[in-house]
Amino acid sequence: LDSAPTELIDIVHIHKDIKENEKKLLGYEKNIADKKDDNEKNKNKILKANDFIKVFDKENLFLIKDSHATKVKQLDALMVELQHSDTKMGQAKKQTELLKEVPCGSEFAHCKFICGAYEAKEEIPLIKISMNSGVQNMKTLQKEIDEVGIDEVEKELHRFDEFRVLARDLESKISTEVLLIENLVSKKSIVEHELKDLREKKKLYEDNKEVIENSMGIVNQIKIKDQQLKDHIVEL
């Protein structure tokens, strides 16, 4: 026993522990490598997203969008104005119908009864001119609105927002992954230290195999004799 190492080594458990720790170590190394690879890919994605954001003409697109919204409002106002003019035209035509029902000629235009009808008759051409001008303005505005391509503008602005959110989310993810990598590296270091101890014990066993095995046999015999002694004392 005196010639044996201080610590008696169970080589079966040593082999088992070495195998388990080697498996853990490979797992940690793979996870660390995968996460580092993912971080590099995400960094490249952030660079591309930021490059797009830098050259993106957001201000111009917002100006186009605001101009489009203004033109749409103008078009809506013109439509309301035309509806009003159409109503006014209908009322004027209805008033002029009175001239067909009375025998008075134009020399009696000062007559209170038909005065409004003559005024309406004179107003009809002006209303027509106003309506024609309104229709033309509507056509011009509608053409300008169609040429803007607001759907494409909205699509580009949405794309800009997506790239901005992507860059922010990836930066947050990288920060989290860095902490996870540090944690994995710490666990890997612990396993490496355990493996080193286990391999040293394995070498110690191999260098002192005969002595250790003999010592373990002696220790087992001592345990058996000790138990027999206890049993004998009980019987007494």
Side-chain angles (χ1 to χ4, degrees), residues 15-170:
H15 283 149
K16 181 183 176 183
D17 291 344
I18 287 174
K19 189 174 181 180
E20 288 178 354
N21 279 279
E22 285 176 341
K23 186 177 179 181
K24 284 182 183 177
L25 186 61
L26 287 173
Y28 288 139
E29 288 175 345
K30 185 179 184 306
N31 282 339
I32 290 168
D34 288 345
K35 290 188 180 300
K36 284 183 176 179
D37 184 54
D38 287 342
N39 275 1
E40 286 303 313
K41 289 177 180 177
N42 288 334
K43 285 177 183 177
N44 287 331
K45 289 178 181 177
I46 290 172
L47 286 174
K48 290 178 181 178
N50 286 334
D51 286 343
F52 172 81
I53 291 169
K54 285 177 185 175
V55 300
F56 189 83
D57 196 355
K58 180 182 66 173
E59 288 75 16
N60 184 53
L61 287 179
F62 275 121
L63 286 174
I64 293 172
K65 185 177 178 181
D66 290 342
S67 176
H68 176 270
T70 299
K71 284 182 167 81
V72 169
K73 287 181 180 179
Q74 289 174 345
L75 184 63
D76 290 341
L78 272 175
M79 289 178 68
V80 171
E81 189 177 328
L82 277 173
Q83 288 174 353
H84 178 70
S85 295
D86 188 59
T87 301
K88 195 173 179 182
M89 176 67 81
Q91 292 172 345
K93 286 181 177 180
K94 188 176 180 180
Q95 281 185 294
T96 57
E97 290 295 320
L98 292 173
L99 298 177
K100 297 177 181 179
E101 298 175 8
V102 296
C104 305
S106 58
E107 63 274 14
F108 297 101
H110 62 280
C111 176
K112 187 177 180 181
F113 180 70
I114 61 173
C115 181
Y118 274 108
E119 287 178 355
K121 185 178 180 180
E122 292 175 358
E123 195 176 7
I124 286 175
L126 297 176
I127 296 173
K128 282 183 179 180
I129 292 171
S130 177
M131 289 181 71
N132 289 336
S133 176
V135 169
Q136 189 59 44
N137 288 339
M138 279 182 63
K139 288 180 179 179
T140 301
L141 272 173
Q142 188 63 61
K143 184 181 178 182
E144 291 175 356
I145 288 170
D146 293 339
E147 287 175 349
V148 167
I150 192 63
D151 290 341
E152 190 62 29
V153 171
E154 293 284 5
K155 184 179 177 182
E156 283 298 301
L157 287 171
H158 180 67
R159 190 177 172 209
F160 170 79
D161 288 336
E162 283 183 333
F163 271 99
R164 192 168 54 180
V165 170
L166 174 66
R168 186 180 65 240
D169 289 348
L170 287 177

